Amino acid sequence: MAAKIAVIYYSSTGNVHGLATAVAEGAEAAGAEVRLRRAAETAPAEAIASNPAWQQHRVDTQDVEEATADDILWADGVIFGTPTRYGNVTAQLKAFIDSLGPQWAQGQLADKAYSGFTSASTTHGGHESTLLALYTTVHHFGGIVVAPGYNDPIQFASGTPYGTTHISAQGENPLGDQERAAARFQGGRVAKVAALLAGADLTV
Ligand SMILES: Cc1cc2nc3c(=O)[nH]c(=O)nc-3n(C[C@H](O)[C@H](O)[C@H](O)COP(=O)(O)O)c2cc1C
């Protein structure tokens, strides 16, 4: 059975959006049906306008549909992407996640495959803490974390066992082939696990 995968991301200046498209490509290559969705912007217009890269990315991605709770309910696997903010998930992605209380209360977020990816400016700026914070939430969902691990050689060259990450170096280091390859691997791996879960009865 082909998995249904929702790639739900937030990106201010495009790095995480680039990873999201590569994750989606990997899931599609593994046979999944994919929805690529962005979390709604919550920052004030003045803040966005003060940063040309942010303003430009907002214009460039205005046609990407905004994520809704239905995208999670539809999916067998959900892959979240967020820039690192103070070593943590962005407010924008968290606002979307926090809107899922009604679905959480009904157990509708459980038993799906979940994974995450991030971009941070600096090498040790909190990539791993961001992904682990995201995975704390997945535990509350009753979801199943599908991390890349070291299950592909790309993890030794780029990527991490927690999820794909990128070092943007304040916009000086655009996404490279290795990060894209790690992201594609992650998308494919989640799609394969999600396909197994889609047909499974996890009632105990
Ligand atoms: C408020 C704020 C907090 C940030 N915190 C961190 C951080 O803790 N560590 C880090 O390396 N980069 C940090 N950054 C930089 C972003 O994580 C980085 O630029 C990222 O690549 C942006 O992704 P995007 O292009 O998808 O928006 C921060 C940026 C902002 C605006």
Side-chain angles (χ1 to χ4, degrees), residues 11-16 83-87 119-122 125 168:
S11 182
S12 292
T13 54
N15 293 286
V16 170
T84 287
R85 292 273 165 87
Y86 309 118
S119 175
S121 189
T122 57
S168 61

Side-chain angles (χ1 to χ4, degrees), residues 12-32:
S12 292
T13 54
N15 293 286
V16 170
H17 173 259
L19 286 175
T21 58
V23 165
E25 283 168 17
E28 275 170 358

Side-chain angles (χ1 to χ4, degrees), residues 9-19 51 54 57 82-88 90 118-127 129-130 166-171:
Y9 76 95
Y10 172 75
S11 182
S12 292
T13 54
N15 293 286
V16 170
H17 173 259
L19 286 175
N51 180 337
W54 194 354
H57 184 64
T82 176
T84 287
R85 292 273 165 87
Y86 309 118
N88 216 315
T90 49
T118 190
S119 175
S121 189
T122 57
T123 307
H124 301 293
H127 308 244
S129 59
T130 299
H166 166 65
I167 299 163
S168 61
Q170 295 178 313

Side-chain angles (χ1 to χ4, degrees), residues 123-138:
T123 307
H124 301 293
H127 308 244
E128 295 174 3
S129 59
T130 299
L131 294 179
L132 293 174
L134 186 62
Y135 295 158
T136 296
T137 298
V138 172

